[in-house]
């Protein structure tokens, strides 16, 4: 199903000329309204009329998270304060948050983009959506909220946390759509089952998961746990929030809202554009944002673009599921390791739960990786031989996929922390060499 079929299936030629026209306009808009861009674009000698084709985007300087932080809080806003109707922020791991502002048009475009990805998996005005993202400065909850309301779906703004209550509401209100991070959905299904709630007691049929990576293996476990069909959606507050891209029912890549966002892939080391089909860092330019426009924003997310038409009829480019971040890709003894690779290995081993933690330490200038994995069955803790064989099997499967040795520690069921938002699975202590 489509929310804006004419736009979503627009012939590529037409779409690209719309993008070119909007890109030229966006460059001039930034130049004229944001002193930061005025300086950057003047230094690079780029103005809207110098952009003759889409690949000329490569002459525009990049924008980074540091640029937003340096202009904290509102320095990159392109409109006077009175035109801003909403402010969100993303909490960084350190220091000040990155702050973003939306005009009324921005909010309208944002809800259109979200409505598209909800309808692409079949959400209708008959659905009841439980939004279990945290409401607040985070864009996830209000982003999905407005998009779902636009379709006419009934929204339950429960926010995250209080997981037993979440399970009760799922059952009592007959929620048909669950909106959350995949790790929270996994946790919620464990809690619901512990409370004796079975899939016959609930009406969930669709999961709209996003805001963090999720392997297909973990997705399959969540779907089995709740008896639903789910899609992945991607976005970031700097660009808008959720709605930048999302899967359709074919789940063969996440369709961009390419009339609003122009994606590129670059080599994160050389910063040079990479041809379609290659893995690299996703760089995105907003084509319509008024509040805080972004020119060539470096997302740090690693993915790949596919411009082939999709079986669903959408013509907008698709990105692969995010493979990891160029900055939290783990470099262990010189080897690039993505946490998603580890997750795929673990979810394929019988007897262990999908909850894990990666602990990195450094001794004598050498990195060590410990993978803590939770058992499903506590009785195995009394069976040394069984435990050891499970451990060995995990070690050898990890070695085959990662190409390095990891220490595997099996821990009791339910002993690792659970998350109501994005999971924090990596504990990096390498700067505290022992
Ligand atoms: O997480 C926006 C969002 C909310 C997207 C709800 C989808 C659903 P931030 O908090 O600014 O915004 O975090 C953005 O999260 O650069 C990615 O590294 C990661 N991320 C977001 N969606 C996905 C996804 C929201 N589907 C950062 N898969 C991004 C993998 C994701 N990583």
């Amino acid at each position: 199903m489509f929310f804006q079929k004419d736009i979503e299936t627009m012939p590529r030629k037409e779409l690209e000329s719309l993008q070119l026209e909007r890109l030229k306009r966006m460059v001039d808009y930034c130049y004229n309204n944001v002193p930061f861009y005025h300086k950057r674009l003047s230094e690079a000698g780029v103005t809207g009329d110098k952009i003759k084709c889409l690949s000329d985007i490569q002459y525009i300087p990049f924008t980074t998270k540091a640029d937003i932080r340096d202009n904290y809080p509102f320095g990159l806003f392109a409109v006077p304060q009175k035109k801003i109707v909403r402010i969100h922020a993303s909490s960084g791991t350190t220091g000040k948050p990155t702050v973003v502002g939306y005009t009324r048009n921005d909010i309208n475009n944002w809800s259109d983009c979200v409505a598209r990805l909800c309808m692409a998996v079949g959400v209708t005005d008959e659905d009841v959506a439980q939004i279990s993202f945290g409401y607040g400065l985070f864009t996830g909850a209000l982003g999905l909220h407005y998009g779902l309301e636009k379709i006419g779906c009934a929204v339950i703004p429960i926010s995250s946390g209080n997981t037993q209550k979440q399970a009760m509401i799922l059952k009592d209100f007959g929620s048909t759509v669950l909106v959350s991070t995949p790790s929270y959905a996994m946790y919620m299904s464990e809690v619901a089952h512990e409370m004796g709630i079975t899939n016959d007691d609930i009406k969930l049929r669709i999961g709209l998961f996003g805001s963090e990576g999720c392997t297909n293996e973990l997705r399959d476990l969540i779907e089995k746990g709740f008896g639903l069909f789910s899609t992945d959606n991607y976005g970031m507050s700097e660009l808008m929030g959720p709605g930048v891209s999302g899967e359709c029912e074919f789940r063969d890549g996440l369709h961009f809202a390419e009339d609003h966002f122009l994606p590129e892939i670059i080599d994160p080391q050389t910063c040079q554009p990479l041809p379609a089909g290659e893995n690299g860092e996703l760089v995105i330019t907003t084509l319509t944002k008024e509040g805080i426009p972004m020119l060539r924003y470096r997302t740090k997310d690693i993915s790949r673009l596919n411009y082939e038409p999709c079986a669903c009829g959408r013509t907008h480019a698709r990105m692969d599921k995010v493979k990891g971040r160029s900055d939290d890709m783990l470099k262990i003894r010189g080897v690039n390791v993505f946490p998603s690779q580890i997750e795929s290995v673990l979810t394929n081993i019988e007897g262990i739960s999908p909850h894990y933690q990666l602990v990195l330490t450094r001794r004598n200038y050498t990195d060590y990786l410990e993978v803590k994995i939770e058992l499903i069955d506590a009785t195995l803790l009394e069976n040394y031989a069984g435990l050891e064989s499970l451990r060995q099997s995990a070690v050898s499967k990890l070695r085959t996929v990662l190409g390095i040795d990891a220490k595997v520690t099996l821990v009791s069921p339910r002993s690792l922390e659970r998350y109501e938002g994005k999971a924090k699975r990596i504990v990096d202590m390498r700067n505290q060499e022992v």
Side-chain angles (χ1 to χ4, degrees), residues 65 89-91 98 110 117 133 138-141 143-144 179-182 208-214 231-245 254 297 299-302 319-325 327-328 422:
K65 202 177 184 80
S90 89
S91 51
T98 38
W110 186 12
L117 66 91
F133 278 136
F138 174 58
T139 53
L144 265 300
V179 176
S180 70
T181 58
L208 291 168
F209 302 138
S211 186
E212 66 178 7
C214 174
T231 50
D232 183 9
N233 67 87
Y234 167 87
M236 55 176 43
S237 46
E238 295 90 318
L239 295 167
M240 182 166 78
V244 173
S245 69
L254 288 77
Y297 185 71
T299 67
K300 303 278 178 186
D301 293 317
I302 303 289
M319 61 183 258
D320 279 4
K321 271 174 172 297
V322 173
K323 198 154 176 249
R325 285 183 58 83
D327 58 355
D328 71 27
K422 299 186 198 229

Side-chain angles (χ1 to χ4, degrees), residues 83 97 106 197 202 277 360 367 396:
K83 296 254 180 208
D106 291 337
I197 297 174
I202 59 172
L360 288 148
D367 296 335
S396 95

